[in-house]
Structure formats: structure tokens, C-alpha cells
Amino acid sequence: MISTIAIVAGALLLLGLAVLAGLWVWSRMVAGKVETALPPAGEIADVAGGKIHFTDQGEGRPIVMIHGLAGHLQNFTYATTGALAGEYRVIALDRPGSGYSERDSDEQARIPEQARMIAEFLAAKGIEKPLIVGHSLGGAVALALGLLYPESVSGLALIAPLTTLPDEGAKVFDALKIANPGVRRLVAETLAVPMSIRRGEESLAFVFAPNPPPSDFSMRGGGLLGLRPRAFMAASTDYQAVALDLPDLTARFSELKMPVGVLYGDRDRVLDHRLHLDALRGAIPHLDEEVRPELGHMVQISEPETTEAFIRRMADKSFS
């Protein structure tokens, strides 16, 4: 005879499965609405291991922009690309796996693999020796490009870049700390979207602090694209992959011979600018560094004029 405990356990299991199924359906519905509201902004190019979604505007010497963790190319099209397109050819891209770019497996989340895919994209599109602009995790990818493909890069303009492995990551990213790929997929498909909606304003305020996030960031800045299971899956996988390669890249910074510049806000709560600057200062004697007071992590959106001036300065050094 079936015990009462077994009946209750079975009922709870069925209830749990029903809840997860409901969350899966609801998350897919939300993702569909997001992609209707924010469809791809540019073109998509095939590369080995996935696809690169990018925008391309202007003419002249090329500048390529790579966003950070959980970001999208709109982090640059928000204010930066248009300001520079009158003088340069400006390409903003979704990092492999982010936004509308794709990657075939978790292996392509590793920093050298992301750099390889972007280098292949540059070659395929005839983008010769660009200035690479990298923000946050995109800064680490930019540094990898400079180290692994120096012949393809004229210079590096790094905005609040991740340059070394910190002892502890920012707590706002704690939800991304899922080492098991199967569990990561389950969370992405069921719990991630409602969690992101619930904590969205708090997370955005933290990332922009002490500056207020703009009211139109969800659309113009691409913020809504984070409300998709694939966005959480990519960000969590990126987060886990950083520790696999960043220490080796940090140890090689002295090999960088092209112009390298960094721009930080002195009140960045995501990355401690002192730690990440120190990783570059000792290795790159020619480092161009700028630390702006009262600015946080999203410098390119909070103070676009400063960002534009910094990129122009690095373009002058790189293209001279």
C-alpha cells in the first residue's frame, strides 16, 4: 500500500514540475516580446564557432567597440558611435553569445575564443588594424585581441576594463555564479527572467552608481535584452569562464607594444579601478590613463563627451 508520505512527495514533485513548466513558458513569452520590441539593430556575420551581430556606420579609419558582461552593442550606440561616425568607421558588436550574436558551445565563452571569433570577423569584413574599444569584460577581450592578434590591432582604448582576477566579484553578479552547466541552463530557462525583472532596477542602479541610470536605458541602451533566458545563460557562462584565462593574459601585458589607454570612474562599484590600473601600470610604461571623479562603471553612457574625447585621443595615437 502506498504510504501517505510517498503520495505527498509525488504530489509535490508534480507541483514543482508544473511550476517549472509554467516558468519556462512564461520566460519564452517574455523573451519573444523583448525581441519584438528590440529586434537586431544591424547585420549578422558567420564566423567559426558562431555568429557576430554588429552595426557599421561612417567612413574612415576603423574603431571597433566591444561591450561588457551582460551588455549589448547598444551600450555604445546609445551615445558613442554616432558621435564618432562623422570622422571614423565605427563598428559596435555583440560579443559572442551576447545580444544577437551566437556561439556554438560554452567553449566560445573563454576570453581567447571570443578574441579569435572577433579577429576572424574583422578579417572577413576587411576591417584593417582598428582601434579596439573595450568596456569592462569587453576590455579583457580587447586586451586578448592585442596580445593574440597584434597584427590586427592598431591600439586599445579601454573603458573601465577588467584586467586582473579580483579576489571577489561584485555581489550584483552573485546570481551568475552557477558552475554546473545543466543547473545553469535550468535556471536560465525558468527562474532567471522573473529574478531579473524583480531585481532589475536595483542591479541597474548598482552598475551605474553613483550616476543615475538613464530613463531610456531599457530600450535605447538595450537593457530589455537581458530579459531572455539566453542572455542569462551567456552572462553566467562568461562569468564562469573568466577565471580560466584572465590570469595568464594578465601575466603577458608587458608584450603589448601598441598604444593602450584606460578610462575609469573613481567611484566604480563593479571594478576597483586601483586594482585594475595597477595590473596595467607595471607592465605598460606607455599607458595612457585617465580617472574621472564622481563617475561609476558605465562611463560611456554617464559621460559620453569624456568617452568620445578619450577615444579620439587614443585614435590619434593609434592611427598616427
Side-chain angles (χ1 to χ4, degrees):
M1 187 172 181
I2 301 175
S3 69
T4 302
I5 294 176
I7 293 173
V8 171
L12 290 175
L13 176 60
L14 290 173
L15 178 62
L17 291 173
V19 169
L20 290 176
L23 287 171
W24 184 89
V25 171
W26 183 79
S27 295
R28 292 283 169 173
M29 181 180 68
V30 171
K33 290 183 177 180
V34 165
E35 293 183 348
T36 298
L38 279 173
E43 306 171 59
I44 294 179
D46 292 322
V47 295
K51 301 177 184 294
I52 300 290
H53 172 233
F54 67 100
T55 61
D56 188 345
Q57 58 188 116
E59 296 180 357
R61 298 299 297 270
I63 298 176
V64 174
M65 301 184 171
I66 308 171
H67 65 80
L69 181 67
H72 316 90
L73 62 80
Q74 287 90 341
N75 293 175
F76 284 111
T77 60
Y78 185 92
T80 311
T81 56
L84 296 166
E87 185 176 348
Y88 303 98
R89 179 185 180 189
V90 185
I91 299 99
L93 56 84
D94 284 331
R95 279 188 305 100
S98 300
Y100 283 102
S101 291
E102 299 177 8
R103 54 193 182 211
D104 293 345
S105 73
D106 289 353
E107 181 66 20
Q108 280 82 49
R110 297 183 64 162
I111 293 173
E113 268 295 284
Q114 295 199 44
R116 177 197 61 76
M117 293 173 72
I118 293 171
E120 184 178 324
F121 160 76
L122 298 178
K125 291 297 176 182
I127 303 169
E128 297 182 357
K129 295 188 73 66
L131 171 67
I132 303 293
V133 178
H135 174 246
S136 197
L137 175 56
V141 176
L143 285 160
L145 274 165
L147 287 168
L148 302 176
Y149 306 94
E151 71 287 348
S152 300
V153 176
S154 287
L156 305 176
L158 310 174
I159 302 169
L162 172 71
T163 67
T164 189
L165 201 61
D167 292 334
E168 185 177 0
K171 292 190 179 300
V172 72
F173 298 128
D174 280 354
L176 301 177
K177 296 179 180 179
I178 305 175
N180 184 284
V183 175
R184 193 184 308 148
R185 174 66 65 186
L186 177 63
V187 172
E189 297 288 353
T190 57
L191 298 173
V193 173
M195 285 193 309
S196 297
I197 292 174
R198 182 172 178 269
R199 299 188 58 195
E201 290 187 10
E202 176 188 348
S203 299
L204 204 61
F206 182 94
V207 171
F208 272 88
N211 315 111
S215 60
D216 59 353
F217 182 77
S218 61
M219 289 293 292
R220 183 176 164 189
L224 277 180
L225 290 170
L227 299 181
R228 302 176 299 162
R230 61 179 288 183
F232 179 89
M233 187 68 185
S236 181
T237 306
D238 284 338
Y239 191 91
Q240 294 298 318
V242 165
L244 300 177
D245 300 293
L246 188 57
D248 289 341
L249 293 171
T250 302
R252 295 181 56 188
F253 286 164
S254 61
E255 299 174 27
L256 293 165
K257 304 306 178 187
M258 72 279 291
V260 180
V262 289
L263 171 64
Y264 282 101
D266 72 343
R267 295 182 63 187
D268 190 329
R269 295 176 64 186
V270 176
L271 297 175
D272 184 339
H273 73 277
R274 295 162 298 186
L275 171 70
H276 294 277
L277 261 176
D278 284 348
L280 292 168
R281 279 174 175 155
I284 306 175
H286 59 279
L287 182 69
D288 181 321
E289 60 181 83
E290 180 177 359
V291 179
R292 298 290 294 184
E294 302 302 314
L295 280 180
H297 191 63
M298 301 297 286
V299 181
Q300 74 274 34
I301 292 176
S302 298
E303 197 159 316
E305 294 84 2
T306 294
T307 302
E308 179 190 347
F310 166 67
I311 294 172
R312 287 184 183 278
R313 183 169 77 245
M314 292 311 302
D316 289 344
K317 291 185 175 185
S318 302
F319 297 146
S320 62

